């Protein structure tokens, strides 16, 4: 798996195809939101979000998926074209039988097109994706990056999700009309358990927003105008400026934000009912852009004593050679 990494690292834009083989386990896991609400998850490698898959356009990807849970699953690679490999698209009863408990299925395909993609289960999507955390990021570097991509100094992935506590511990059920969503997460954590986006003046920040849940989210960033540069992985022919962007389920938007305004800036869903933890406001889909030039120690600051998790937006993993990366910060607890 790691044989040609040096080559990839030295020349990531030359498009020399590599072959990657990854092992992925689906595990019964429990996550706890804001210290009070447990959810039963079917978690890729025991974590929500699942591991980062980071390859380059044209790479050959093999994923051995081991289903260690008691229900069937598949993996759909959302955004990948699967040209000549439609049987690898991960749709139960259409492209394959679902992977039964205890079974393994091997997906093999070419990573294309480039951009911010993601993967998710395609069995009982209403439940497995919306309620059980079966999603992860799949980033494909382009053979020919756009000029703006080459300027990026900080690369962050934000997966947006909604949770209905009524189904929290009823695996096999959930995702029906009338569901009340009462927890909202960025990368599987609700504020104040989310993490700051740490930047420094002069950074060119790429924010990869992925709609992994069931609702639309109006993500607003204070103190900046950003450029909407990519939609569903594709570079936009005419990028546009905005301070709020609506991300619908399945969609991806890559924003480019020039860090030119040192301070402490709120980032939040402007759908107010998505900034709840259960029945309590000031939670859910919120985070803060923290400039390193500004002390985080103000007494009034909610996150003044926050323990920083540097890979929370997969920004550390994205700097590593191409491959698949787990992140300890997303690990749940095993359910026996
Ligand atoms: Cu599933
Ligand atoms: Cu999808
Ligand atoms: Cu605001």
């Amino acid at each position: 798996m790691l044989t040609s990494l040096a080559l990839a690292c030295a020349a990531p834009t030359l498009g020399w195809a590599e072959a990657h083989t990854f092992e992925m386990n689906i595990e019964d896991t429990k996550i706890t939101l804001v210290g009070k609400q447990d959810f039963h998850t079917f978690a890729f490698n025991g974590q929500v979000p699942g591991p980062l898959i980071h390859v380059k356009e044209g790479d050959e990807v093999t994923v051995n998926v081991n289903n260690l849970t008691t229900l069937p699953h598949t993996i759909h690679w959302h955004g990948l074209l699967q040209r000549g490999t439609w049987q690898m698209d991960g749709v139960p009863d259409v492209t394959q039988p679902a992977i039964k408990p205890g079974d393994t299925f091997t997906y093999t395909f070419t990573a294309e097109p480039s951009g911010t993609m993601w993967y998710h289960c395609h069995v009982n999507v209403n439940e497995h994706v919306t309620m059980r955390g079966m999603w992860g990021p799949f980033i494909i570097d382009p053979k020919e990056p756009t000029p703006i991509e080459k300027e990026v100094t900080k690369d962050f992935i934000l997966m947006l999700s909604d949770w209905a506590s009524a189904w929290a511990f009823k695996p096999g059920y959930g995702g029906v009309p009338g569901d009340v969503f009462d927890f909202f997460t960025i990368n599987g954590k609700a504020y104040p358990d989310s993490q700051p986006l740490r930047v420094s003046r002069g950074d060119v920040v790429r924010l990869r927003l992925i709609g992994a849940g069931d609702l639309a989210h109006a993500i607003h960033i204070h103190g900046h105008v950003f450029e909407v540069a990519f939609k569903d992985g594709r570079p936009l022919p005419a990028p546009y400026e905005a301070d709020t962007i609506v991300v619908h389920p399945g969609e991806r938007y890559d924003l480019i934000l020039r860090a030119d305004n040192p301070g402490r800036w709120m980032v939040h869903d402007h759908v107010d009912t998505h900034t709840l933890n259960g029945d309590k406001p000031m939670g859910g889909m919120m985070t803060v852009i923290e400039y390193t030039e500004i002390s985080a120690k103000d007494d009034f600051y909610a996150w003044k004593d926050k323990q920083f998790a540097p890979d929370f937006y997969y920004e550390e993993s994205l700097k590593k050679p191409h491959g698949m990366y787990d992140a300890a910060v997303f690990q749940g607890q095993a359910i026996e």
Side-chain angles (χ1 to χ4, degrees), residues 18-81:
E18 288 178 273
H20 303 272
T21 301
F22 304 127
E23 289 293 321
M24 185 101 88
N25 291 335
I26 305 175
E27 301 166 14
D28 281 298
T29 310
K30 181 178 84 171
I31 64 162
T32 305
L33 299 183
V34 292
K36 67 174 187 183
Q37 180 62 59
D38 291 342
F39 279 87
H40 186 128
T41 54
F42 309 134
F44 294 112
N45 285 359
Q47 59 172 77
V48 179
L52 167 70
I53 297 179
H54 181 205
V55 298
K56 59 190 197 314
E57 189 179 0
D59 282 0
E60 294 301 319
V61 177
T62 300
V63 187
N64 299 313
V65 179
N66 310 303
N67 180 3
L68 308 183
T69 74
T70 57
L71 288 168
H73 305 285
T74 61
I75 302 184
H76 169 58
W77 314 94
H78 185 130
L80 279 75
L81 291 176

Side-chain angles (χ1 to χ4, degrees), residues 64-141:
N64 299 313
V65 179
N66 310 303
N67 180 3
L68 308 183
T69 74
T70 57
L71 288 168
H73 305 285
T74 61
I75 302 184
H76 169 58
W77 314 94
H78 185 130
L80 279 75
L81 291 176
Q82 304 288 5
R83 287 192 281 201
T85 53
W86 63 269
Q87 298 94 334
M88 297 290 127
D89 201 40
V91 181
D93 306 328
V94 175
T95 65
Q96 67 171 102
I99 312 166
K100 291 193 193 70
D103 281 1
T104 295
F105 186 89
T106 299
Y107 292 94
T108 308
F109 51 84
T110 303
E112 59 140 358
S114 64
T116 300
M117 308 300 174
W118 63 302
Y119 61 89
H120 61 80
C121 182
H122 219 290
V123 175
N124 291 348
V125 175
N126 309 43
E127 184 207 356
H128 293 202
V129 180
T130 305
M131 311 274 167
R132 307 283 168 228
M134 296 198 76
W135 32 265
F138 196 127
I139 306 300
I140 305 175
D141 290 338

